[in-house]
Amino acid sequence: MKVTIDNITIDVEPGTTIMNAARQIGPHIAPPAMCYYEPLKASGGKCRGCLVKVTAGSEKDPRPMPKLVPSCITQVQDGMIVENTINEQVLETRKGIVELLLLNHPLDCPVCDQAGECHLQDFSFEHGVSKTRTVEERNTFEPVDLGPYIKLNMNRCILCYRCVYTADQITDGRVHGVMHRGDHAEISTYIEKAIDNDFSGNVIDVCPVGALTDKTYRFKSRVWFSKPEDASCNCGKCSGKVTLWYRGDEVIRVTARKNEWGEVKEFICNTCRFERKKTSDWTLEGPTKIARNSVISANKYGANTIKPAFPLKQAAQQYKQINDDRDRSFLEPQKQLN
Amino acid sequence: MICEIKYNMKILTEHIDVQGIETIDVFRKHGGYAAVEKALKKMTPDEVTEEVKKSGIRGRGGAGFPMGMKWSFLAKPEGVPRYLVCNADESEPGTFKDHYLMMKSPHTLIEGMIVSSYALGANTSYIYIRGELMYVATILEKAIQEARDKGFLGKNILGSGYDLDLHVQLGGGAYICGEETALLESLEGKRGNPRNKPPFPAVKGGLWQCPTVVNNVESIATTAWIVNNGGDEYAKIGIGRSTGTKLISASGHIRKPGVYEIPLGITVEDFIYADEWCGGIRDGHKLKAVVAGGSSVPILPAELILKTTNGENRLMTYESLSDGGFATGTMLGSGGFVVMDETTCIVHNTLTFGRFYHHESCGQCSPCREGTGWMDKVLYRIEHGQGRQEDIDLLVDVAKKIEGNTICPLGDAAAWPVAAAIRHFRDEFEWHINHNLKIC
C-alpha cells in the first residue's frame, strides 16, 4: 500500500497505522505520541497529540477526511495522502494540545525524576508555545505509594492509560485502573492496594511523564548525569535484557531497554529492576545508543558527542522566541522622587 | 403557515393520559401490540426495515442520523449474535422526553423494542437506562414481565419461531454513557469511556464485539406506529427530510412547560406562543434567548430563533433550525427546548452548562478533559467578578481547540454552547467583566 506523508511516499503493509508508516520514514516525520505505545494493545487515541490531516482518504475515494484523525489508530489506505508537519491546522492544534496537557501539569521539572527523558517535555519543547494564558490554580493530589517500589504522583499524570494497559496486559489479577471522571480522574490501584506482581515495575517505564517513579531511584541523580549501558543476565522470569544507568561506578537505576520511540519491547521483572544493582549481577554489552539530540547523550561519548555549540545555539534561538510580556515593572528600581 | 400540517397529530403520546396505560390490558385495548402481531406474523424482518427506511425517521437522540440507514449498516455475519440497545440514558440538561414516555407508557417502548429487534434479527436486546431513573426501570421491568406473561417476549413469540429476551440495565448516572460506545462499554461492565471509531458498533465494534444498533427511546418507540401504518404514512407528516413527530421537552420561562409531541414543521413562533404548546412567555416578560435542542446546541437570541437570516420563519425541523450553520443557526438536537426571558443572565447560564460538561467529561482524551475544566474555571471567574478582557477571546479559542479534536461528541457539545453564547451575547460577557460584577 502506498501512502504519502508530508510529500514522502512509502510502501507499507496493509493494516499499518499512519503513525507506524510515518515512523518508518523517520523521526522528523513521525507525529508525537504521548499515549500510544506499540507493544500495548488498545493503547492510543487519547492524548490527541498525534492528530494529522488526511487530505485524500484513498485512491478510490480521494475526499479529504473532515476532521483531523489520530494517526496512531487510523489505518492507512492505498493512496492516502497525509499532512503532518506541513499542515498549519495540525501544528496549531498541537499547540493547543500541549497547552491543555500542561494546564494541570505542575512545571516542577527541576525536581522531577523524569526530566530529561520526559515525553511531555519533548512534546512541549517541539510543539508548544512558551507563553501561558492560564491564571487558574492547578488541580492537586496527594502522592500515593503503590507498594514498596513505586510512587504515584497524580499531579503529573496526563491520563494516557499506558500503565492501566500494562497492568491489564502483562500482569495478571488486574488491580490498577482509573477512578473518577474528567480532570479529577486519577490512576489508582484497587483501594490503594499495592501492585503485588513481579512485573509491576514496568508501569514506571511506560509512563511518559514523572507520575510513576522508581522509589529506589527517586532524587538520586539527574538522568543526564548518568550513563546508560546495555546489560543482560540469566533471569528465569524475564528476558533479562536491561539498561543499567551508571553514575561513576555505581548502578543507580535499572530499566528495560527502550527503542528510539521510547517504547519497551521486552518487559523486565521486578527482581531485575529493583534488586540487581551491582555490576557483578550483569553481563555488560556496551553503551546504549542515545539519540543525538537527547540531553542524556550530552558530553558523554566521544564519537557521538553533541558539539556543545549546537544545543547552546538551539537554546539561544528558543530563548529569543520567548514572548514574555509579563508585567515586570515591580522589578525595576523605584524612581526617586525629586 | 404550512397548511398540510396536522396540528393534533400524535403518535407516541396519543393514549398517554389514559388511566392505567402502563398495564398491558389497557394498553392492548388502545391498539397496543398490534404492531408486534403484524410484524411477526405477516412481515419479514427486511420488510420491517424497508418500512422504517421509507418513513425517513431520523434518530431522535440528538444527531438526527436517518434510522433506516443506520439499520442497513448493520453487518449480518453468520453465527454471530446481533444486539439492539435502547439508549435511555437521557441526561442532557433540558431534555426529559424519554423519561416521560417510559414512565407513563412503558409498553410503547417495549412494543417498539420487539418490532425493532425482529427487524434487526436480535435475540437479546437491552434498555440502558440512567441510574437516577431507578423507579422508571422498575416500571419497565414490570411491563416487561407483563409482556412476557402474555407471550410477547421469550421463546417462540406468538408462534412465529422468533425468540427475544429484553433486559433493563441501570447505568451509574454518567452523562457520558449516553454516547453510544461509552454506553456499550458500560453495558459490558466496564468504565464508561467512549471507544475510538472505527470500528463502528454496527460492524464489529458493538456489544462484545458483535454488530450492534444503538437507538434512542423515542426512535424505537415510533417503529411500532410505522409498522402499523406504513412508512409512507409516516413520511407524510413533517416537511422535507424532517418527517414524523417529535417529542419536545419545553422548559424555562414559559407558561406551560412540559413534554409536547409536535409534528415537525410547525414554526418556532407557534410552538412558543400557541396555547396548545408552550403558551407564551410568562406574564410581563419577553423572549430573550432559546436553547433549542438540549444544552449541547448553540444558544440563539430571540430574533434569530424566530426568523432565519433570510427573513423566513424558522420551523421546528432539522433543516430549518440549522439554517445558517453555527453562525446564525442551531440544531434540533434531542428536543430540549429551553426558553429564557430577559431576566436570564447568559453568562450565568453558560457557566451552568460549562460546569455540567466539566463534571461529566470522562477524562479520557486530553482536549475535553482539560478544556472543559479550563472553560468552567474561566467562566466562574467572569461570573464572580474576576474576569479579564482577554478571557472572552480565550474562551473562544479554547472552545475551538476542543471542537472536533476529541474521541466522542462530548467535546463538541461542551464547546458549542460556550462559543455560541459569546458569539451572540458578547456584550453581556463584556459587561460582566467591565462592571466587576460579583453576583448577577
Side-chain angles (χ1 to χ4, degrees), chain A residues 133-149:
Chain A
R133 292 189 290 174
T134 175
V135 293
E136 264 70 42
E137 268 185 31
R138 292 184 159 85
N139 295 344
T140 50
F141 302 83
E142 286 297 312
V144 183
D145 278 328
L146 306 182
Y149 296 126

Side-chain angles (χ1 to χ4, degrees), chain A residues 77-273:
Chain A
Q77 308 286 329
D78 200 19
M80 190 185 250
I81 300 173
V82 181
E83 288 185 356
N84 176 23
T85 56
I86 55 173
N87 189 298
E88 201 52 44
Q89 190 194 354
V90 170
L91 296 178
E92 193 56 36
T93 306
R94 245 170 236 170
K95 265 186 213 163
I97 302 287
V98 173
E99 189 175 24
L100 291 166
L101 282 175
L102 292 178
L103 200 66
N104 281 309
H105 187 90
L107 298 181
D108 61 350
C109 305
V111 295
C112 176
D113 280 309
Q114 193 83 4
E117 49 179 13
C118 174
H119 289 207
L120 188 56
Q121 256 182 343
D122 296 346
F123 186 31
S124 60
F125 184 73
E126 282 160 21
H127 294 284
V129 283
S130 45
K131 199 177 164 191
T132 177
R133 292 189 290 174
T134 175
V135 293
E136 264 70 42
E137 268 185 31
R138 292 184 159 85
N139 295 344
T140 50
F141 302 83
E142 286 297 312
V144 183
D145 278 328
L146 306 182
Y149 296 126
I150 307 167
K151 187 91 170 175
L152 167 64
N153 186 338
M154 234 353 258
N155 293 340
R156 295 175 188 151
C157 179
I158 55 163
L159 286 167
C160 67
Y161 281 64
R162 280 182 186 178
C163 59
V164 177
Y165 290 123
T166 310
D168 219 9
Q169 291 169 20
I170 64 169
T171 68
D172 35 59
R174 180 184 169 204
V175 287
H176 191 94
V178 176
M179 295 203 313
H180 309 311
R181 274 199 305 253
D183 59 6
H184 36 281
E186 55 181 305
I187 300 290
S188 176
T189 48
Y190 181 58
I191 322 187
E192 297 198 1
K193 187 179 156 192
I195 312 178
D196 203 8
N197 188 289
D198 258 341
F199 283 80
S200 63
N202 289 302
V203 296
I204 299 166
D205 277 347
V206 300
C207 186
V209 290
L212 290 160
T213 44
D214 183 344
K215 276 167 90 177
T216 63
Y217 171 68
R218 268 168 79 80
F219 307 130
K220 278 205 175 157
S221 168
R222 306 303 321 195
V223 63
W224 53 88
F225 293 139
S226 55
K227 186 173 169 184
E229 298 266 353
D230 281 351
S232 62
C233 77
N234 265 334
C235 177
K237 285 186 254 176
C238 65
S239 65
K241 289 181 184 166
V242 300
T243 304
L244 303 179
W245 297 77
Y246 280 96
R247 192 177 55 189
D249 291 339
E250 189 193 358
V251 178
I252 53 169
R253 179 167 73 141
V254 184
T255 65
R257 285 185 200 171
K258 292 182 178 178
N259 65 8
E260 60 173 320
W261 314 109
E263 288 170 354
V264 174
K265 293 282 182 189
E266 288 171 294
F267 292 103
I268 60 167
C269 67
N270 282 4
T271 321
C272 285
R273 184 186 300 273

Side-chain angles (χ1 to χ4, degrees), chain A residues 312-328:
Chain A
L312 276 177
K313 221 185 257 172
Q314 214 174 8
Q317 230 170 27
Q318 294 277 333
Y319 186 74
K320 269 183 214 153
Q321 284 169 11
I322 293 177
N323 180 3
D324 191 355
D325 53 2
R326 275 178 292 179
D327 183 14
R328 285 180 185 275

Side-chain angles (χ1 to χ4, degrees), chain B residues 3 21 25 57 120 133 149 230 273 310:
Chain B
C3 51
I21 193 75
D25 295 330
I57 179 173
L120 296 168
L133 303 185
D149 292 344
Y273 291 102
N310 307 333

